[in-house]
Structure formats: structure tokens, C-alpha cells
């Protein structure tokens, strides 16, 4: 509970209508997509300017209040969960396009702009914002930057980090930093912008960003292949990427396809059932790319890697094929899945996957594990479905042990416990499998530089 005095000071900063205290509103703004923690913020504020954000942070420092920054709350690691009476600072009102420059091909915008809005804004000007993933309809740019969001085009365009050329943030001390100011080249010492990208709201609140846009791709074709075994997926990746610039190379298991076709009513790509499926996308500006793709498909069939396949003949078909992959995450919410988002170097994936499979099958035989992910960049989404016999608490506890064992394997394979979703609350206990004690110590010290009173998103990333 906040004191009357703090409530009145917050009201002065943002106005009575922008200070939310009702139980329903607290519930709404206090969680992300995770279902493990209960929302329990003490208040939600909706600032309308960077100066208002600054005032809230200064007040929090003065009165020792914790802040949870909040974007579209589509996160999957609990990074935006407010469970301990924190003040949620929601960026929804910082949702303006501020400046567009066609020569620099960049746009400055408020952190609360929805990702799809930015994509549309770019398209309307003959440009392209390439970071794309299933929740672009509700995720906000500020949250994407705070988690360095990845998605389905990373092999071609990189992660969010690649597209941020300027940032305005309020750090934990309540100071405003205007970082990099839209420059492409700027070698003037430490680039703080990159420290804030992916910092999960632990160093500052991202209020504005300048985003680089690019030329739109030519029309694309989607190819879905039925694959005989996991190592064969990598053979397919190798031969295709040797000849064609792929914009996506995704994979999913037969179990994932079954769930998505049964629950969403999507049509199967073809009748043959295969253990794994790969989805490839590439630009087809000219016929020769299609000819190469067909020839490569035949090679893959001859080698015995690929058992069946379908090539999109229209934009509508390409979109329908994408849905088989993109709707998996949404479909699996039905089972309250425990999510792992891990990466290893692509070349190590078959051995790693075999070891994880053996581990889960041997030690947790009642768990159904659904595999899918962005195989082209080494990122696997391993979703464990909750068996009906286990309560959510029992299930989460058991999955924690699985994560620790997978963490040990990741350490052996020099992989990452979080490829793209971030650490948040969900993975902080496993951070040490990917980062050395020295690195974690230095991260804590860096946090203190930007957030000396440790008021920003406490308990996220590390304790
Ligand atoms: C995806 O690639 C998203 O579909 C979500 O990153 C993954 O829900 C997941 O585990
Ligand atoms: Zn993903």
C-alpha cells in the first residue's frame, strides 16, 4: 500500500486519471504472458512525457520505491511481472511517431509504439522494419529493445539491436541520457546504447528510440519440408544456405504440427507424417532462385533427408504455411507450458538435442516436450506441457529441475539459457550456466552505476 503522501505526489506528476489503483487494473498491468507469478503492484502510472518518467524515478529514489517498467507485456520470462508491491511504469502513452527522415531512412518514436504500427508506418513510406514475431500486434518497441527481441527473420536481419540507432532513457538515478542520436558511425568510447538494449529494465526506462529502416524485400516464397531426422535438418540448412539467401529457417516437430492443426484448424502442409518439419523462406526476385530451390529440394530427397515438401504458390499460401509455425506458441498455452528458450551453435545442435531428449525421456517420462524454434540461428524453444496429474506449483518445481539439468548441458555445449526471451524471473537461477561468476559480478556493478539505489526492476536478471 502506498501512503497518501506518495499517492498525492504521483498524482501531481501524471494526473489523477493516469494513476491506476483499482484491483483489476493492477492485475492487468502487473503480469506478462507467464502464468507462474501473481500480479501485486501497488500502483500503475502512465506517464505522457520523458520528464514525467524522470519525475517518477526521482520520487522512487527519494522514497525507496521499486519500479517495474512495462511495455506490451508479451514477455515469456517474467521480466515485466510486478509481484512485490512495485510501481508499474507503463509506456502506453508514449506512443507517438516523433520524426521521420527519408534520407536517413529512420524514424524516432515513443517506446509505447506497437511493433506492428512501426512495421505499417515503414511500409506506408516504401520502407521496411524487419524484426518480426508472432506478438507484433501487442508488443511495444520499448519492450522489444529492453529484451533485444529476435523472432523469425534473425538469420537475415539480426535482432532488435541491429536496428536501434538512438535511445533516450531515464536511468535508475533519474537522469536523462540521449544515446547515439541516430548516427551510423560513432566511435567515441563506450556505447551505452547497447548496454540498455537487452538490459530488461534493470538499468533504465527506455522512453524514445530512433530506428533504422531498410528497403522492403522482394516477394518471398515459403517452402515447408518434411524431414526424416534431426541431423538431416542441418544438412538441409547447409545445402540451402550455400546457394540461397534465406530470410528464415524454422523448424517444428510432428507433435507441434499435430497440436496446431487440431486446435487451430490449420491445414497440414501435406499428407506424409515426418518427425520434423523445416520452414524456409527466401526472396524470389527472379525465376532462377526458384529453379535452384527445386534442384536443392530434389537433392535433399535423393539424400533421404527430406520425405515430402510443399512450395507456396501464392501470398495466401505462404501466410497459411507460416501460421503452422507462428501459431504453435499460442496453441500451447492450453497446457500452461513451461518454456525453455535456449541456444547452442548450429553445428552442435544435433548432439545437444539428442542429449536433452535422452535426459527428459529418462528422468521425466511423464512430460510431453514440444520442440520448435529458429533452427537457422541455433535457437530452440523447448516447451514442456503440464500433465493433468500435476498442479501448476508441482509442475513448475519439477520443470525447474529439468532447467537446471539442461543448464548443465548448455554449459557443456557453451550455449545460452536464454536465446531471445530474456532472463527475467524465470531463468535467473540458471544464469550461471551461461555467464561466468566474473561476468555476473560485473553486471551487478554496472547496474549500480546506472541504478545506484537498485530501484529498477529488482529481482530480474539476478538478485
Ligand atoms: C516463437 O518463436 C516465440 O514462437 C515463442 O519466440 C516461443 O512460446 C515460445 O516458447
Ligand atoms: Zn522464438
Amino acid at each position: 500500500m502506498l501512503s497518501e503522501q506518495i499517492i498525492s505526489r504521483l498524482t501531481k506528476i501524471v494526473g489523477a486519471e493516469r494513476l491506476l489503483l483499482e484491483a483489476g487494473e493492477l492485475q492487468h498491468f502487473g503480469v506478462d504472458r507467464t502464468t507462474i507469478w501473481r500480479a501485486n503492484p501497488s500502483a500503475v502510472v502512465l506517464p505522457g512525457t520523458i520528464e514525467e518518467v524522470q519525475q517518477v524515478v526521482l520520487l522512487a529514489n527519494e522514497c525507496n520505491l521499486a519500479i517495474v517498467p512495462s511495455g506490451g507485456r508479451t514477455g515469456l520470462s517474467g521480466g515485466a511481472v510486478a509481484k512485490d508491491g512495485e510501481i508499474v511504469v507503463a509506456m502506453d502513452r508514449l506512443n507517438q511517431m516523433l520524426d521521420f527522415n527519408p534520407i536517413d531512412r529512420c524514424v524516432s518514436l515513443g517506446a509505447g509504439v506497437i511493433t506492428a504500427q512501426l512495421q505499417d508506418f515503414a511500409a506506408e513510406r516504401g520502407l521496411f522494419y524487419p524484426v518480426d514475431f508472432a506478438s507484433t500486434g501487442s508488443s511495444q518497441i520499448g519492450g522489444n529493445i529492453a529484451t533485444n527481441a529476435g523472432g523469425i527473420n534473425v538469420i537475415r536481419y539480426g535482432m532488435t539491436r541491429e536496428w536501434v540507432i538512438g535511445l533516450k532513457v531515464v536511468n535508475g538515478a533519474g537522469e536523462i541520457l540521449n544515446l547515439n542520436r541516430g548516427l551510423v558511425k560513432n566511435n567515441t568510447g563506450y556505447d551505452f546504447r547497447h548496454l540498455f538494449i537487452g538490459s530488461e529494465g534493470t538499468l533504465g526506462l527506455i522512453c524514445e528510440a530512433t530506428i533504422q529502416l531498410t528497403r522492403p524485400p522482394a516477394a518471398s516464397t515459403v517452402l515447408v519440408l518434411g524431414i526424416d531426422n534431426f541431423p538431416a535438418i542441418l544438412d538441409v540448412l547447409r545445402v540451402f544456405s550455400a546457394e540461397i539467401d534465406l530470410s528464415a529457417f524454422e523448424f517444428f516437430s510432428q507433435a507441434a504440427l499435430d497440436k496446431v492443426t487440431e486446435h487451430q484448424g490449420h491445414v497440414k502442409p501435406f499428407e506424409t507424417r515426418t518427425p520434423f518439419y523445416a520452414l524456409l523462406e527466401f526472396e524470389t526476385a527472379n525465376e532462377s532462385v526458384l529453379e535452384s530451390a527445386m534442384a536443392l529440394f530434389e537433392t535433399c530427397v535423393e539424400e533421404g533427408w527430406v520425405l515430402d515438401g510443399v512450395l507456396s504458390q501464392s501470398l495466401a499460401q505462404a501466410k497459411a504455411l507460416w501460421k503452422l509455425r507462428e501459431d504453435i506458441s499460442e496453441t500451447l498455452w492450453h497446457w500452461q507450458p513451461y518454456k525453455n528458450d535456449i541456444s547452442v551453435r548450429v553445428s552442435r545442435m544435433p548432439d545437444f538435442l539428442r542429449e536433452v531428449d535422452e535426459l527428459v525421456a529418462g528422468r521425466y517420462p511423464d512430460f510431453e516436450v514440444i520442440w520448435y524454434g529458429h533452427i537457422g540461428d541455433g535457437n530452440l524453444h523447448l516447451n514442456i506441457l503440464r500433465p493433468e496429474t500435476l498442479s501448476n506449483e508441482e509442475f513448475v518445481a519439477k520443470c525447474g529441475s529439468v532447467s537446471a539439468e539442461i543448464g548443465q548441458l548448455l554449459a557443456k555445449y557453451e550455449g545460452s539459457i536464454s536465446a531471445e526471451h530474456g532472463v527475467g524471473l524465470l531463468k535467473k537461477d540458471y544464469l550461471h550456466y551461461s555467464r561466468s561468476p566474473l561476468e555476473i559480478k560485473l553486471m551487478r556493478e554496472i547496474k549500480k552505476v546506472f541504478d545506484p539505489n537498485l530501484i529498477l526492476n529488482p529481482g530480474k536478471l539476478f538478485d
Side-chain angles (χ1 to χ4, degrees), residues 325 374 379 381 420-421:
R325 162 65 184 88
H374 318 281
N379 181 183
H381 293 309
E420 62 172 1
H421 295 166

Side-chain angles (χ1 to χ4, degrees), residues 294-440:
M294 290 313 295
L296 289 165
F297 170 71
E298 271 156 35
T299 308
C300 291
V301 172
E302 276 158 25
E303 291 285 350
W305 303 326
V306 166
L307 306 175
D308 208 340
V310 59
L311 189 79
S312 66
Q313 303 297 325
S314 65
L315 186 60
Q317 194 185 5
K319 282 190 174 158
L321 291 171
W322 258 119
K323 284 202 156 297
L324 298 174
R325 162 65 184 88
E326 281 218 294
D327 287 356
I328 296 171
S329 178
E330 192 58 40
T331 306
L332 297 182
W333 280 114
H334 181 74
W335 288 269
Q336 286 186 301
Y338 188 92
K339 293 183 174 294
N340 283 278
D341 159 46
I342 55 193
S343 67
V344 292
R345 281 168 58 172
V346 175
S347 58
R348 293 181 171 170
M349 278 187 138
D351 288 341
F352 174 72
L353 192 111
R354 186 181 38 75
E355 287 209 49
V356 174
D357 242 356
E358 282 168 11
L359 182 142
V360 179
R363 309 234 320 109
Y364 307 92
D366 54 337
F367 280 177
E368 186 180 3
V369 181
I370 308 287
W371 292 93
Y372 59 108
H374 318 281
I375 206 86
D377 53 42
N379 181 183
L380 297 166
H381 293 309
L382 184 160
N383 281 213
I384 306 173
L385 306 190
R386 182 167 71 84
E388 274 172 11
T389 49
L390 290 184
S391 73
N392 203 25
E393 288 76 44
E394 290 168 326
F395 177 59
V396 169
K398 249 183 144 179
C399 287
S401 317
V402 182
S403 291
E405 293 189 60
I406 292 177
Q408 284 165 19
L409 269 184
L410 282 165
K412 177 173 136 189
Y413 281 86
E414 298 185 301
S416 173
I417 58 130
S418 176
E420 62 172 1
H421 295 166
V423 176
L425 291 170
L426 187 66
K427 298 172 213 155
K428 62 179 173 177
D429 292 345
Y430 316 110
L431 185 62
H432 65 96
Y433 292 117
S434 291
R435 307 296 295 261
S436 70
L438 176 60
E439 281 182 293
I440 296 174

